Structures are given as structure tokens and as C-alpha cells.
Amino acid sequence: MWIKWVTIHESYGLPRIAQECRRYLEMKGIRVRLLSRQTKKAGHVYTLQVPQTQQEQAKALLRHFKNTLK
């Protein structure tokens, strides 16, 4: 069975916020994968992806998590 992954967050530079978002979503029961790639201008880009079936729930949880950081 194939899983369609969708990107819900991208961050540049250090992976700290991407790791924290991943850890938070995993604690809430969302499957997450964190991809990284190197670019010439931005250094490193970290992409947080979730299965398409959990996209809306993950976006709501991520929005709540970011609001608690402010």
C-alpha cells in the first residue's frame, strides 16, 4: 500500500524547530517523516511531511503548537 505524503512545514538553517514539530506531532499520534536537503543559497532545508489522510489534523495540531511558542 502506497502512502501519499504531503509537506506541511519547511524550515531553513538549523533543524531545531523541524525536530520539535516532528516530536510534537508524533506524541499526538501523527505519522511524520523529516527530509533534509542541501541547497546552494539557504544551506539546509528541512521538510516535515505527513500522510495525506492525516494532513488536516496535523495542520491544526501544528498551528496550535506554534501558537504556544509565541
Side-chain angles (χ1 to χ4, degrees):
M1 182 174 164
W2 294 96
I3 297 175
K4 172 77 173 164
W5 295 91
V6 292
T7 300
I8 62 168
H9 174 79
E10 280 190 350
S11 60
Y12 303 91
L14 298 175
R16 279 181 271 168
I17 191 66
Q19 287 285 2
E20 289 298 318
C21 292
R22 179 188 59 83
R23 191 173 301 124
Y24 180 78
L25 290 173
E26 284 178 344
M27 284 188 336
K28 299 295 183 178
I30 304 289
R31 291 182 60 189
V32 180
R33 73 178 183 182
L34 182 61
L35 304 174
S36 65
R37 66 182 191 274
Q38 189 170 359
T39 62
K40 291 182 180 179
K41 291 185 179 182
H44 288 85
V45 178
Y46 298 94
T47 305
L48 196 66
Q49 294 183 336
V50 297
Q52 188 175 19
T53 57
Q54 295 179 317
Q55 179 182 7
E56 294 304 317
Q57 182 184 8
K59 281 185 177 181
L61 287 169
L62 194 59
R63 193 171 23 254
H64 178 266
F65 177 68
K66 287 181 179 181
N67 287 336
T68 60
L69 294 177
K70 291 180 181 181

